[in-house]
Amino acid sequence: VQSSPLAGFRYYAAETLWQEMRAGDRLALVREAGNAHDGNAVRVEWRGQKLGYLPRAQNRAVATAMDNGEAVDARIARLRQHRNPWQRVLIEVFVVL
């Protein structure tokens, strides 16, 4: 469905868990319809730890799919050292058929 950077890298557990994460690792997506800041919020978790969110500008399609009961899956597509936190983790999101 999409590839997106991880939003919130510096504010949640991603920075702490960086050395343990690997490209290809499965991620959990959790819909936060009641999020006060973004009605389409989709939280990204790895091994039960909150890493951040799908970016607000790119989360509507995934949020809608989840709201409609469609199964979605995600994984870490790429990890790279970069001074810009938006460039460190790339996530791939898939609709499960």
Side-chain angles (χ1 to χ4, degrees):
V1 173
Q2 74 183 52
S3 292
S4 301
L6 176 68
F9 180 91
R10 295 183 297 176
Y11 305 107
Y12 303 103
E15 195 162 21
T16 304
L17 299 170
W18 173 258
Q19 296 299 324
E20 298 175 47
M21 297 186 314
R22 300 287 179 260
D25 284 356
R26 188 163 189 231
L27 299 167
L29 299 178
V30 180
R31 182 73 171 92
E32 287 187 5
N35 185 301
H37 303 288
D38 181 2
N40 291 315
V42 178
R43 184 173 71 235
V44 177
E45 295 183 352
W46 178 78
R47 297 183 182 174
Q49 298 289 316
K50 181 179 181 178
L51 298 180
Y53 289 87
L54 292 182
R56 183 179 307 205
Q58 300 175 342
N59 65 6
R60 182 174 297 208
V62 176
T64 300
M66 294 176 82
D67 291 346
N68 290 334
E70 295 178 44
V72 294
D73 205 358
R75 70 176 178 210
I76 297 172
R78 183 180 69 214
L79 297 166
R80 71 179 187 158
Q81 292 287 348
H82 198 282
R83 64 185 192 156
N84 180 347
W86 280 85
Q87 300 295 318
R88 293 184 185 167
V89 182
L90 181 67
I91 299 166
E92 291 179 328
V93 180
F94 304 90
V95 173
V96 179
L97 300 176

